[in-house]
Amino acid sequence: YQVQGVTANMVMTSVSGHLLGLDFSQTYKKWNSCHPTQLFDLPVNKECKEANMINIKKTLEKEVRGAQMLIIWTDCDREGENIGMEIVDVCRAVNRNIKVLRARFSEITRPSIERAMQTLTQISHTVSDAVDCRMELDLRIGAAFTRFQTLRLQKMFPDSLGDKLISYGSCQFPTMGFVVERYKEIENFVAESFWKLKVIHQIEDIRVEFAWQRNRLFDEDIVKLYHEICQENPVATVQNCHSKPKSKWRPLPLDTVELQKLGNRKLRMSAKSIMATAEKLYTQGFISYPRTETNIFPKELDLNPMVQAQTNDNRWGEFAGKILTEFGGPKPRQGKKTDEAHPPIHPTKYSNSLQGENVPCYLCSSFGTVLCM
């Protein structure tokens, strides 16, 4: 393969998530070795300790010994940049002079891979450092507070918490607070009966339901009284009529949160199963990278082939064709968010042969993309 104009033999290998992990030295792993507050200042080490990761590390060290160039192909987000830097650190410990380049891509398709090879860049140290900072904060805060509150509460309640671990996480703990708050609201809710008037008028196939200005009352006798008044004089008089224009905006291009909301609302899928399915479709080359905060299509992305592929569908293919012929080509509504890493989620190739949960998730991506054009 031609790499920057030079024919090269390429060897591909892979990792599985983070290769290295942060931890305190063995001296301070015992809970009574230091006061919890010291954990905010003690040095931490980034090492490869998990058994399955050690084997991956050995593979990298073996392959890089005779290599002249290392190209990082991890996901193009913050976590991917940090994992890429971990690979670089492992490889440079064996081959310190190896040249490192970064491939940036958002979909696993031939054009995207070839474009990434033609535009190889440098790996971002600042983005990787930001992830290291977050990981170190998670470790220090989690370890310090977990030790502090566990030892404190075990001492205060030895009978009930003497052998319990009271874990603390900087994200999990506030989330648990929201869950408990909502649980208490549901538990303390007292149901109360109410009554309302419902007026419906229908002429042929036109059906109108009128809303009562008072909406509902909690006194049944009063509502019955109003109902009797209405029955005594069943002919209604239109006292006023006014109208105002209403616009129905096209949906914005899909980001991760909107994909999860759409999948949950329309398909009744959980956020976890939506993302698992989306990542599977991504690795199979059907959709772009599903973890993105972007709802703006970049100007350099050619949307015509994407819409053209959807004209084969018997459900929205006709509409996709109109976008290309009658509407002057795709002109997507643009949002205001971008993570500067990935475009909005979109189909990368057409398929009508998917099965199981792959089908609805792919439909969300395809139909949502066509609608926003």
Coordinates of all heavy atoms in Angstrom, one line a residue, residues 141-204:
I141 N -10.8 11.3 43.5 CA -12.0 11.6 44.2 C -12.7 10.4 44.7 O -13.2 10.2 45.8 CB -12.9 12.5 43.3 CG1 -12.3 13.8 43.0 CG2 -14.3 12.6 43.9 CD1 -13.0 14.6 42.0
G142 N -12.8 9.4 43.8 CA -13.5 8.1 44.1 C -12.9 7.4 45.2 O -13.5 6.9 46.2
A143 N -11.5 7.3 45.2 CA -10.8 6.5 46.2 C -10.9 7.2 47.5 O -11.1 6.6 48.6 CB -9.3 6.3 45.8
A144 N -10.7 8.5 47.5 CA -10.7 9.3 48.8 C -12.0 9.3 49.5 O -12.1 8.9 50.7 CB -10.2 10.7 48.5
F145 N -13.1 9.6 48.7 CA -14.4 9.6 49.3 C -14.9 8.2 49.7 O -15.6 8.0 50.7 CB -15.4 10.3 48.4 CG -15.4 11.8 48.5 CD1 -14.5 12.5 47.7 CD2 -16.2 12.5 49.4 CE1 -14.5 13.9 47.8 CE2 -16.2 13.8 49.5 CZ -15.3 14.6 48.7
T146 N -14.6 7.2 48.9 CA -15.0 5.8 49.2 C -14.4 5.4 50.5 O -15.1 4.8 51.4 CB -14.7 4.9 48.1 OG1 -15.4 5.3 46.9 CG2 -15.0 3.4 48.4
R147 N -13.1 5.6 50.6 CA -12.4 5.2 51.9 C -13.0 6.0 53.1 O -13.3 5.4 54.1 CB -10.9 5.4 51.8 CG -10.2 4.4 50.8 CD -8.7 4.6 50.9 NE -8.0 3.9 49.8 CZ -6.7 3.7 49.7 NH1 -5.9 4.2 50.7 NH2 -6.2 3.1 48.7
F148 N -13.1 7.3 52.9 CA -13.5 8.1 54.0 C -14.9 7.7 54.5 O -15.1 7.5 55.7 CB -13.5 9.6 53.6 CG -14.1 10.5 54.6 CD1 -13.4 10.9 55.7 CD2 -15.4 11.0 54.5 CE1 -13.9 11.7 56.7 CE2 -16.0 11.8 55.4 CZ -15.2 12.2 56.6
Q149 N -15.9 7.7 53.6 CA -17.3 7.4 54.0 C -17.5 5.9 54.5 O -18.3 5.7 55.4 CB -18.3 7.8 53.0 CG -18.2 7.0 51.7 CD -19.2 7.5 50.6 OE1 -19.7 8.6 50.8 NE2 -19.5 6.7 49.6
T150 N -16.7 5.0 53.9 CA -16.9 3.6 54.3 C -16.3 3.4 55.7 O -17.0 2.9 56.6 CB -16.1 2.7 53.3 OG1 -16.7 2.8 52.0 CG2 -16.2 1.2 53.8
L151 N -15.1 3.9 56.0 CA -14.5 3.8 57.3 C -15.4 4.5 58.3 O -15.6 4.1 59.5 CB -13.1 4.3 57.3 CG -12.1 3.5 56.4 CD1 -10.8 4.2 56.4 CD2 -12.0 2.1 56.9
R152 N -15.9 5.7 58.0 CA -16.7 6.5 58.9 C -18.0 5.9 59.2 O -18.4 5.7 60.4 CB -16.9 7.9 58.3 CG -17.8 8.8 59.1 CD -17.1 9.4 60.3 NE -17.9 10.4 61.0 CZ -17.6 10.9 62.2 NH1 -16.5 10.4 62.8 NH2 -18.3 11.8 62.7
L153 N -18.7 5.4 58.2 CA -20.0 4.8 58.4 C -19.9 3.4 59.1 O -20.8 3.0 59.8 CB -20.8 4.8 57.1 CG -21.1 6.1 56.5 CD1 -21.8 6.0 55.1 CD2 -22.1 6.9 57.4
Q154 N -18.9 2.7 58.8 CA -18.7 1.4 59.4 C -18.5 1.6 60.9 O -19.0 0.8 61.7 CB -17.5 0.6 58.8 CG -17.8 0.0 57.5 CD -16.5 -0.7 56.9 OE1 -15.4 -0.5 57.4 NE2 -16.7 -1.5 55.9
K155 N -17.8 2.7 61.3 CA -17.6 2.9 62.7 C -18.9 3.4 63.4 O -19.1 3.1 64.6 CB -16.5 4.0 62.8 CG -16.1 4.3 64.2 CD -14.9 5.3 64.3 CE -14.5 5.7 65.7 NZ -13.4 6.7 65.7
M156 N -19.7 4.2 62.7 CA -20.9 4.7 63.3 C -22.0 3.7 63.3 O -22.8 3.6 64.3 CB -21.4 5.9 62.4 CG -20.5 7.1 62.5 SD -21.1 8.5 61.5 CE -22.6 8.9 62.3
F157 N -22.1 2.8 62.3 CA -23.1 1.8 62.3 C -22.5 0.4 62.1 O -22.7 -0.3 61.0 CB -24.1 2.1 61.1 CG -24.6 3.5 61.1 CD1 -24.1 4.4 60.3 CD2 -25.7 3.8 62.0 CE1 -24.6 5.7 60.3 CE2 -26.2 5.1 62.0 CZ -25.6 6.1 61.2
P158 N -21.8 -0.1 63.1 CA -21.1 -1.4 63.0 C -22.0 -2.6 62.7 O -21.7 -3.5 62.0 CB -20.4 -1.5 64.3 CG -21.1 -0.7 65.2 CD -21.7 0.5 64.4
D159 N -23.2 -2.6 63.3 CA -24.1 -3.7 63.1 C -24.7 -3.9 61.7 O -24.7 -5.0 61.2 CB -25.3 -3.6 64.1 CG -24.9 -3.6 65.6 OD1 -23.8 -4.3 65.8 OD2 -25.6 -3.1 66.4
S160 N -25.0 -2.7 61.1 CA -25.6 -2.8 59.7 C -24.6 -2.6 58.6 O -24.8 -3.1 57.5 CB -26.8 -1.8 59.6 OG -26.3 -0.5 59.9
L161 N -23.5 -1.8 58.9 CA -22.6 -1.5 57.8 C -21.2 -2.0 58.1 O -20.3 -1.6 57.4 CB -22.6 0.0 57.6 CG -23.9 0.7 57.1 CD1 -23.7 2.2 57.0 CD2 -24.4 0.1 55.8
G162 N -21.0 -2.9 59.1 CA -19.7 -3.3 59.5 C -18.9 -3.9 58.4 O -17.7 -3.8 58.4
D163 N -19.6 -4.6 57.5 CA -18.8 -5.3 56.4 C -19.2 -4.8 55.0 O -19.0 -5.5 54.0 CB -19.1 -6.8 56.5 CG -20.6 -7.1 56.4 OD1 -21.4 -6.2 56.5 OD2 -21.0 -8.3 56.1
K164 N -19.8 -3.6 55.0 CA -20.2 -3.0 53.7 C -19.2 -2.0 53.1 O -18.6 -1.3 53.8 CB -21.6 -2.3 53.9 CG -22.7 -3.2 54.5 CD -23.1 -4.3 53.5 CE -24.3 -5.1 54.0 NZ -24.7 -6.2 53.1
L165 N -19.2 -2.0 51.8 CA -18.4 -1.0 51.1 C -19.3 0.1 50.6 O -20.3 -0.2 49.9 CB -17.7 -1.6 49.9 CG -17.0 -0.7 48.9 CD1 -15.7 -0.1 49.6 CD2 -16.5 -1.3 47.6
I166 N -19.1 1.3 51.0 CA -19.9 2.4 50.6 C -19.2 3.2 49.5 O -18.3 4.1 49.8 CB -20.2 3.4 51.8 CG1 -20.6 2.6 53.0 CG2 -21.4 4.3 51.4 CD1 -21.8 1.7 52.9
S167 N -19.5 2.9 48.3 CA -18.7 3.4 47.1 C -19.2 4.8 46.8 O -20.3 5.2 46.9 CB -18.9 2.5 45.9 OG -18.2 3.0 44.8
Y168 N -18.2 5.6 46.2 CA -18.5 6.9 45.8 C -17.9 7.1 44.4 O -16.8 6.8 44.1 CB -17.9 8.0 46.7 CG -18.2 9.4 46.3 CD1 -19.3 10.1 46.7 CD2 -17.3 10.1 45.3 CE1 -19.5 11.4 46.3 CE2 -17.6 11.3 44.9 CZ -18.7 12.0 45.4 OH -18.9 13.3 45.0
G169 N -18.7 7.7 43.5 CA -18.2 8.0 42.1 C -18.7 9.4 41.8 O -19.8 9.8 42.1
S170 N -17.8 10.2 41.2 CA -18.2 11.6 40.9 C -19.4 11.8 40.0 O -20.0 12.8 40.0 CB -17.0 12.4 40.4 OG -16.4 11.7 39.2
C171 N -19.6 10.8 39.1 CA -20.8 10.8 38.2 C -21.9 10.0 38.8 O -23.1 10.4 38.8 CB -20.4 10.3 36.9 SG -19.3 11.3 35.9
Q172 N -21.6 8.8 39.4 CA -22.7 7.9 39.8 C -23.4 8.5 41.1 O -24.6 8.3 41.2 CB -22.1 6.5 40.2 CG -21.5 5.8 39.1 CD -20.0 6.1 38.8 OE1 -19.6 7.2 39.1 NE2 -19.3 5.3 38.1
F173 N -22.7 9.2 41.9 CA -23.3 9.6 43.2 C -24.4 10.7 42.9 O -25.5 10.5 43.4 CB -22.2 10.2 44.1 CG -22.6 10.1 45.6 CD1 -22.5 8.9 46.2 CD2 -23.0 11.2 46.3 CE1 -22.9 8.8 47.6 CE2 -23.4 11.1 47.6 CZ -23.3 9.9 48.3
P174 N -24.1 11.7 42.1 CA -25.2 12.7 41.8 C -26.4 12.0 41.0 O -27.5 12.3 41.3 CB -24.5 13.7 40.9 CG -23.1 13.6 41.3 CD -22.9 12.2 41.6
T175 N -26.1 11.1 40.1 CA -27.1 10.4 39.4 C -28.0 9.6 40.4 O -29.2 9.6 40.2 CB -26.5 9.4 38.4 OG1 -25.6 10.1 37.5 CG2 -27.6 8.7 37.6
M176 N -27.4 8.9 41.3 CA -28.2 8.2 42.3 C -29.1 9.2 43.1 O -30.2 8.8 43.4 CB -27.2 7.5 43.3 CG -28.0 6.7 44.4 SD -29.0 5.4 43.7 CE -27.7 4.3 43.0
G177 N -28.6 10.4 43.3 CA -29.5 11.4 44.0 C -30.7 11.7 43.2 O -31.8 11.8 43.7
F178 N -30.6 11.8 41.8 CA -31.7 12.1 41.0 C -32.7 10.9 41.0 O -33.9 11.1 41.1 CB -31.3 12.3 39.5 CG -30.5 13.5 39.3 CD1 -29.3 13.5 38.6 CD2 -30.9 14.7 39.9 CE1 -28.6 14.7 38.4 CE2 -30.1 15.9 39.8 CZ -29.0 15.9 39.0
V179 N -32.2 9.7 41.0 CA -33.0 8.5 41.1 C -33.8 8.4 42.4 O -35.0 8.1 42.4 CB -32.1 7.2 40.9 CG1 -33.0 5.9 41.1 CG2 -31.5 7.2 39.5
V180 N -33.1 8.7 43.5 CA -33.8 8.6 44.8 C -34.9 9.7 44.9 O -36.0 9.5 45.4 CB -32.8 8.8 45.9 CG1 -33.5 8.9 47.3 CG2 -31.8 7.5 45.9
E181 N -34.5 10.9 44.4 CA -35.5 12.0 44.4 C -36.7 11.7 43.6 O -37.9 11.9 44.1 CB -34.8 13.3 43.9 CG -35.7 14.5 43.9 CD -35.0 15.7 43.4 OE1 -33.8 15.7 43.1 OE2 -35.7 16.8 43.3
R182 N -36.6 11.1 42.4 CA -37.7 10.7 41.6 C -38.5 9.6 42.3 O -39.7 9.6 42.2 CB -37.2 10.3 40.2 CG -38.3 9.9 39.3 CD -39.3 11.0 39.1 NE -40.4 10.7 38.2 CZ -41.6 11.3 38.1 NH1 -41.8 12.3 38.9 NH2 -42.5 10.9 37.3
Y183 N -37.8 8.6 42.9 CA -38.5 7.5 43.6 C -39.3 8.1 44.7 O -40.5 7.6 44.9 CB -37.4 6.6 44.1 CG -38.0 5.5 45.0 CD1 -38.6 4.4 44.5 CD2 -37.9 5.6 46.4 CE1 -39.1 3.4 45.3 CE2 -38.4 4.6 47.3 CZ -39.0 3.5 46.7 OH -39.6 2.5 47.5
K184 N -38.8 9.0 45.5 CA -39.6 9.6 46.6 C -40.8 10.3 46.1 O -41.9 10.3 46.7 CB -38.7 10.5 47.4 CG -37.7 9.8 48.3 CD -36.9 10.8 49.1 CE -35.9 10.1 50.0 NZ -35.1 11.1 50.9
E185 N -40.7 11.0 44.9 CA -41.8 11.7 44.4 C -42.9 10.7 44.0 O -44.1 11.0 44.2 CB -41.4 12.5 43.1 CG -40.6 13.7 43.4 CD -40.1 14.4 42.1 OE1 -40.4 13.9 41.0 OE2 -39.5 15.5 42.2
I186 N -42.5 9.6 43.4 CA -43.5 8.6 43.0 C -44.2 8.0 44.2 O -45.4 7.8 44.3 CB -42.9 7.5 42.1 CG1 -42.4 8.2 40.8 CG2 -43.8 6.4 41.9 CD1 -41.5 7.2 40.0
E187 N -43.3 7.7 45.3 CA -43.9 7.0 46.5 C -44.8 8.0 47.2 O -45.8 7.5 47.8 CB -42.7 6.6 47.4 CG -41.9 5.4 46.9 CD -42.8 4.1 46.9 OE1 -43.3 3.8 48.0 OE2 -42.9 3.5 45.8
N188 N -44.5 9.3 47.2 CA -45.3 10.2 48.0 C -46.5 10.8 47.2 O -47.3 11.5 47.8 CB -44.4 11.4 48.5 CG -43.3 10.9 49.4 OD1 -43.5 9.9 50.2 ND2 -42.2 11.6 49.4
F189 N -46.6 10.4 46.0 CA -47.7 10.9 45.2 C -49.0 10.3 45.7 O -49.2 9.1 45.9 CB -47.5 10.6 43.7 CG -48.6 11.0 42.8 CD1 -48.8 12.3 42.5 CD2 -49.5 10.1 42.3 CE1 -49.9 12.8 41.7 CE2 -50.6 10.5 41.5 CZ -50.7 11.8 41.2
V190 N -50.0 11.2 45.8 CA -51.3 10.8 46.3 C -52.3 11.0 45.1 O -52.5 12.2 44.7 CB -51.8 11.5 47.5 CG1 -53.2 11.1 47.9 CG2 -50.8 11.3 48.7
A191 N -52.8 9.9 44.6 CA -53.8 10.1 43.4 C -55.1 10.7 43.9 O -55.6 10.4 45.0 CB -54.0 8.7 42.8
E192 N -55.6 11.6 43.1 CA -56.9 12.3 43.4 C -57.8 12.3 42.2 O -57.3 12.6 41.1 CB -56.6 13.7 43.9 CG -57.8 14.4 44.4 CD -57.4 15.8 45.0 OE1 -56.2 16.1 45.0 OE2 -58.3 16.5 45.4
S193 N -59.0 11.9 42.4 CA -60.0 11.8 41.3 C -60.4 13.2 40.8 O -60.4 14.2 41.6 CB -61.2 11.1 41.7 OG -60.9 9.7 42.0
F194 N -60.6 13.4 39.5 CA -61.0 14.7 39.0 C -62.0 14.4 37.8 O -62.1 13.3 37.3 CB -59.8 15.5 38.5 CG -59.1 14.9 37.3 CD1 -59.5 15.1 36.0 CD2 -58.0 14.1 37.5 CE1 -58.8 14.5 34.9 CE2 -57.3 13.5 36.5 CZ -57.7 13.7 35.2
W195 N -62.7 15.5 37.5 CA -63.8 15.4 36.4 C -63.6 16.5 35.5 O -63.1 17.6 35.8 CB -65.2 15.4 37.0 CG -65.5 14.1 37.8 CD1 -66.2 13.1 37.4 CD2 -65.1 13.9 39.2 NE1 -66.2 12.1 38.4 CE2 -65.6 12.6 39.5 CE3 -64.3 14.6 40.2 CZ2 -65.4 12.0 40.8 CZ3 -64.2 14.0 41.4 CH2 -64.7 12.7 41.7
K196 N -64.0 16.3 34.2 CA -63.9 17.4 33.2 C -65.0 17.2 32.2 O -65.6 16.1 32.0 CB -62.5 17.3 32.5 CG -62.3 16.0 31.7 CD -60.8 15.9 31.3 CE -60.4 16.9 30.3 NZ -59.0 16.8 29.8
L197 N -65.3 18.3 31.5 CA -66.2 18.3 30.4 C -65.5 18.1 29.1 O -64.5 18.7 28.8 CB -67.0 19.6 30.3 CG -68.0 19.9 31.5 CD1 -68.6 21.3 31.3 CD2 -69.1 18.8 31.6
K198 N -66.1 17.2 28.2 CA -65.5 16.9 26.9 C -66.5 17.2 25.8 O -67.5 16.5 25.8 CB -65.0 15.5 26.9 CG -64.1 15.1 25.7 CD -63.5 13.7 25.9 CE -62.6 13.3 24.8 NZ -62.0 12.0 25.0
V199 N -66.2 18.1 25.0 CA -67.1 18.5 23.9 C -66.5 18.1 22.5 O -65.4 18.6 22.2 CB -67.5 20.0 23.9 CG1 -68.4 20.3 22.8 CG2 -68.1 20.3 25.3
I200 N -67.2 17.3 21.7 CA -66.7 16.9 20.4 C -67.7 17.3 19.4 O -68.9 17.0 19.5 CB -66.4 15.4 20.4 CG1 -65.3 15.1 21.4 CG2 -66.0 15.0 19.0 CD1 -65.1 13.6 21.6
H201 N -67.3 17.9 18.3 CA -68.2 18.2 17.2 C -67.6 17.6 15.9 O -66.4 17.7 15.6 CB -68.3 19.8 17.0 CG -69.3 20.2 16.0 ND1 -70.6 19.8 16.1 CD2 -69.1 21.0 14.9 CE1 -71.2 20.4 15.0 NE2 -70.4 21.1 14.3
Q202 N -68.5 17.0 15.1 CA -68.1 16.3 13.9 C -69.0 16.6 12.8 O -70.2 16.4 12.9 CB -67.9 14.8 14.2 CG -67.4 14.0 13.0 CD -66.9 12.6 13.3 OE1 -66.8 12.3 14.5 NE2 -66.6 11.8 12.3
I203 N -68.4 17.0 11.7 CA -69.2 17.1 10.4 C -68.5 16.3 9.3 O -67.3 16.6 9.0 CB -69.3 18.6 10.0 CG1 -69.9 19.5 11.1 CG2 -70.0 18.8 8.7 CD1 -70.0 20.9 10.8
E204 N -69.2 15.3 8.9 CA -68.6 14.3 8.0 C -67.3 13.7 8.5 O -67.3 13.1 9.6 CB -68.4 15.0 6.6 CG -69.7 15.4 5.9 CD -69.5 16.1 4.6 OE1 -68.4 16.4 4.2 OE2 -70.6 16.3 3.9

